[in-house]
């Protein structure tokens, strides 16, 4: 079974731009969660989607948004990028029976200049 | 909210040595997981262990939920064990299921 895939793997943007990241979960997994990881801050939970609905949300500003499609693929969007948004963005998928037994993708490393 | 503390924050080992990583949490939890993040950023789920002991090759984990801690044992360490080890606990409150992460233990295994 293929693992979680994320695209793109690396991205360089400038302040003020917007970016969209994509995540394809493991086949059969309907829950997708997004995390931001920065040095010294650990993993910060962004949001979780299940069946095309946002089920949980972390404490991030409204510039961070997401959505999930009927095939469980998810996208995350960040508008009006700031330097502090530079981070590794991780996506994790899980089943509906064990939503917090999460399997992670390789991440998208975003650099904002 | 619940606090998750991992120790030590950093660890350097010689290949072949054994080590114990610790995860303390401040309140009762429904589940606990250990993850390994390799130097390229990939996070791998090692153990899903709300209580008891599990073993997988050279790695084993023990969670004592009543005393609010979990231990990850690495035996005969190899250079490929290098990376960051995270502990994450699950707290269920009604329909809200939260995964709360520790800051990790950074392990370097030298040849």
């Amino acid at each position: 079974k293929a693992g979680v895939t994320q695209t793109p793997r690396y991205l360089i943007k400038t302040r003020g731009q917007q970016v969209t990241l994509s995540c394809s979960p493991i086949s059969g997994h309907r829950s997708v969660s997004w995390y931001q990881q920065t040095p010294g801050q650990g993993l910060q939970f962004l949001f979780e989607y299940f069946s095309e609905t946002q089920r949980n949300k972390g404490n991030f500003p409204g510039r961070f948004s997401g959505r999930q499609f009927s095939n469980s693929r998810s996208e995350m969007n960040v508008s009006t990028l700031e330097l502090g948004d530079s981070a590794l963005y991780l996506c994790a998928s899980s089943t509906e029976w064990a939503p917090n037994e999460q399997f992670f993708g390789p991440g998208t490393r975003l650099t904002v200049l | 909210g619940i606090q998750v503390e991992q120790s030590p924050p950093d660890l350097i080992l010689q290949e072949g040595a054994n080590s114990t990583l610790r995860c303390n949490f401040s309140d009762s939890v429904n589940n606990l997981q250990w993850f390994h993040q390799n130097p390229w950023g990939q996070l791998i789920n090692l153990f899903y262990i709300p209580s008891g002991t599990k073993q997988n090759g050279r790695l084993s984990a023990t969670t004592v939920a009543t005393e609010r801690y979990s231990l990850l044992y690495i035996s005969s360490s190899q250079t490929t064990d290098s990376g960051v080890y995270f502990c994450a606990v699950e707290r269920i409150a009604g329909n809200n299921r939260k995964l709360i992460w520790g800051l990790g233990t950074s392990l370097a295994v030298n040849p």
Side-chain angles (χ1 to χ4, degrees), chain A residues 9 35 37 40-43 45 48 56 88 90 97-106 109, chain B residues 33 35 37 39-45 48 86 90-92 95-99 101-103:
Chain A
R9 293 292 312 279
Y35 294 87
Q37 186 178 26
Q41 291 290 317
L43 273 80
F45 172 71
E48 181 208 0
N56 278 307
L88 180 67
L90 292 159
W97 305 280
N100 276 331
E101 186 174 8
Q102 300 190 336
F103 297 86
F104 283 80
R109 190 165 294 281
Chain B
Q33 297 179 70
F35 293 87
Q37 188 171 37
W40 297 272
Q42 177 71 61
L43 264 166
I44 303 294
N45 193 326
Y48 190 67
F86 289 100
E90 178 183 357
R91 186 70 181 269
I92 300 173
N95 291 327
N96 191 4
R97 308 175 72 121
K98 293 189 72 171
L99 201 60
W101 294 74
L103 293 181

Side-chain angles (χ1 to χ4, degrees), chain B residues 34-83:
Chain B
W34 283 98
F35 293 87
H36 174 227
Q37 188 171 37
N38 67 22
W40 297 272
Q42 177 71 61
L43 264 166
I44 303 294
N45 193 326
L46 296 175
F47 295 103
Y48 190 67
I49 182 167
S51 64
T53 298
K54 290 186 177 180
Q55 179 149 11
N56 185 0
R58 296 180 296 101
L59 302 182
S60 64
T62 296
T63 296
V64 184
T66 52
E67 296 186 24
R68 300 181 185 167
Y69 73 89
S70 182
L71 301 174
L72 178 69
Y73 305 97
I74 304 174
S75 64
S76 304
S77 59
Q78 300 176 358
T79 55
T80 51
D81 295 332
S82 297

Side-chain angles (χ1 to χ4, degrees), chain A:
Chain A
K1 200 182 259 193
V4 178
T5 58
Q6 291 186 245
T7 56
R9 293 292 312 279
Y10 302 92
L11 204 48
I12 299 175
K13 292 284 190 178
T14 56
R15 277 182 300 174
Q17 287 187 305
Q18 74 160 23
V19 66
T20 299
L21 312 181
S22 180
C23 171
S24 293
I26 292 171
S27 178
H29 286 195
R30 294 170 62 194
S31 173
V32 174
S33 298
W34 288 90
Y35 294 87
Q36 181 194 68
Q37 186 178 26
T38 53
Q41 291 290 317
L43 273 80
Q44 305 290 314
F45 172 71
L46 281 154
F47 26 66
E48 181 208 0
Y49 285 87
F50 178 80
S51 274
E52 303 177 65
T53 301
Q54 188 179 88
R55 185 157 69 173
N56 278 307
K57 188 177 188 304
N59 298 321
F60 277 79
R63 300 186 297 107
F64 292 81
S65 63
R67 59 178 176 167
Q68 187 179 34
F69 302 94
S70 58
N71 62 357
S72 296
R73 189 177 71 86
S74 177
E75 286 182 349
M76 190 194 97
N77 186 75
V78 188
S79 62
T80 320
L81 284 166
E82 300 176 0
L83 295 178
D85 296 333
S86 295
L88 180 67
Y89 289 87
L90 292 159
C91 159
S93 76
S94 58
T95 66
E96 56 202 281
W97 305 280
N100 276 331
E101 186 174 8
Q102 300 190 336
F103 297 86
F104 283 80
T108 294
R109 190 165 294 281
L110 171 65
T111 302
V112 182
L113 302 176

